């Protein structure tokens, strides 16, 4: 039973346009959400996070939106750059999780075309 | 500052054998997490060690085990290897037991079981 789902395995966007990556979750106990980016042959690197007390968090070109009622979050990248081409993982943490245990989605491969 | 390092990078084992994977966390980090990423799937939480103790484990059989040493490095052991154990194994470290602190990942060990 997947508690975090990324329904789009891949996304192709033109350079300069907006990339929108989506993530849905089922566990209402999740209260902290993160996005990680992964290049081939490298480990995932942290990108941006959001607490459930917020509905938006912005960091430069990256903005994460959280819709708690819909159990949905999205990552917006504006403007998209070829270097953003990577696999993006959505992850969540429940309030009862001690430490930093995360539940990950299956990932979305983003391709930004020059 | 050195990041999370994992060894070996690649490991090929025969079904039924044992595999040992190693992880060195970032200096000052006492928590180590192990994740499995099977082909086409997201990261699945395996084990969490903090201050030398196993704090939690994911939904994996007992033949997946590990330990954390006094210097906070960690080992993941997989006994009686099965073909479906073939995956990328990722180690992450974070500051001691603090929720929602950033976890830093290593580049992973690709285990292939033949």
């Amino acid at each position: 039973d997947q508690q975090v789902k990324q329904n789009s395995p891949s996304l192709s966007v033109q350079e300069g346009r907006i990339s929108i990556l989506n993530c849905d979750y089922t566990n209402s106990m999740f209260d902290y959400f993160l996005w990680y980016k992964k290049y081939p042959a490298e480990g995932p690197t942290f990108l941006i996070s959001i607490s459930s007390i917020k509905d938006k968090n912005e960091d430069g070109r990256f903005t994460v939106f959280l819709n708690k009622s819909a159990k949905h979050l999205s990552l917006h990248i504006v403007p998209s750059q070829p270097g953003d081409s990577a696999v993006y993982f959505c992850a969540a943490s429940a309030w009862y999780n001690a430490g930093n245990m995360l539940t990950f989605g299956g990932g979305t491969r983003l391709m930004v075309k020059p | 500052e050195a990041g999370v390092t994992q060894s070996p990078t690649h490991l090929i084992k025969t079904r039924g054998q044992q595999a040992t994977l190693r992880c060195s966390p970032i200096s000052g980090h006492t928590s180590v997490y192990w994740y499995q990423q099977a082909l086409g799937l997201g990261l699945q939480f395996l084990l969490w060690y903090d201050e030398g103790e196993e704090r939690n484990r994911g939904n994996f059989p007992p033949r997946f085990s590990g330990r954390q040493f006094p210097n906070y490095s960690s080992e993941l052991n997989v006994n009686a290897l099965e073909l479906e154990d073939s995956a990328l194994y990722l180690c992450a470290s974070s500051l001691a037991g603090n929720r929602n602190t950033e976890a830093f990942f290593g580049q992973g060990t690709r285990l292939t079981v033949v």
Side-chain angles (χ1 to χ4, degrees), chain A residues 31-32 36 38 41-44 46 89 93-95 97-102 104-106, chain B residues 33 35 37 41-43 45 48 56 88 90 94 97-103 105-107:
Chain A
D31 66 348
Y32 189 67
Y36 280 82
K38 186 179 185 300
E42 293 183 13
F46 169 75
F89 291 97
S93 170
W95 61 265
N97 284 143
N100 222 329
M101 293 179 300
L102 301 172
F104 283 84
Chain B
Y33 304 81
Y35 287 86
Q37 186 186 11
L41 298 178
L43 285 72
F45 169 71
W48 169 34
N56 209 339
L88 180 67
L90 290 160
S94 71
N98 296 320
R99 261 204 86 201
N100 307 340
T101 56
E102 183 178 346
F105 283 84
Q107 83 286 0

Side-chain angles (χ1 to χ4, degrees), chain B:
Chain B
E1 181 185 317
V4 177
T5 57
Q6 293 186 244
S7 63
T9 308
H10 293 86
L11 188 57
I12 300 175
K13 291 285 186 178
T14 304
R15 191 170 49 182
Q17 284 188 316
Q18 180 197 41
T20 298
L21 289 65
R22 295 180 176 85
C23 172
S24 292
I26 289 172
S27 177
H29 287 188
T30 61
S31 273
V32 171
Y33 304 81
W34 287 95
Y35 287 86
Q36 181 199 65
Q37 186 186 11
L39 191 63
L41 298 178
L43 285 72
Q44 304 291 319
F45 169 71
L46 257 169
L47 288 159
W48 169 34
Y49 291 96
D50 184 60
E51 295 286 358
E53 305 254 341
E54 181 182 302
R55 300 295 183 182
N56 209 339
R57 65 180 294 128
N59 190 24
F60 282 83
R63 56 191 187 80
F64 286 83
S65 65
R67 52 182 172 164
Q68 187 178 34
F69 299 98
N71 66 354
Y72 303 116
S73 67
S74 177
E75 223 172 58
L76 173 68
N77 295 295
V78 188
N79 294 318
L81 284 165
E82 300 178 2
L83 296 177
E84 51 265 34
D85 296 333
S86 296
L88 180 67
Y89 289 84
L90 290 160
C91 169
S93 74
S94 71
L95 292 171
N98 296 320
R99 261 204 86 201
N100 307 340
T101 56
E102 183 178 346
F104 295 82
F105 283 84
Q107 83 286 0
T109 293
R110 171 114 9 229
L111 172 64
T112 303
V113 182
V114 297

Side-chain angles (χ1 to χ4, degrees), chain A residues 29-83:
Chain A
M29 304 297 185
F30 288 146
D31 66 348
Y32 189 67
F33 304 88
L34 309 90
W35 284 93
Y36 280 82
K37 179 169 73 172
K38 186 179 185 300
Y39 292 117
E42 293 183 13
T45 54
F46 169 75
L47 200 53
I48 192 169
S49 63
I50 187 167
S51 163
S52 61
I53 62 173
K54 293 185 172 183
D55 55 18
K56 177 183 173 181
N57 190 25
E58 194 171 348
D59 183 3
R61 296 187 296 115
F62 302 91
T63 303
V64 56
F65 295 92
L66 175 62
N67 182 335
K68 288 186 290 294
S69 60
K71 294 192 176 65
H72 176 84
L73 65 156
S74 60
L75 174 68
H76 293 211
I77 306 174
V78 183
S80 300
Q81 299 173 354

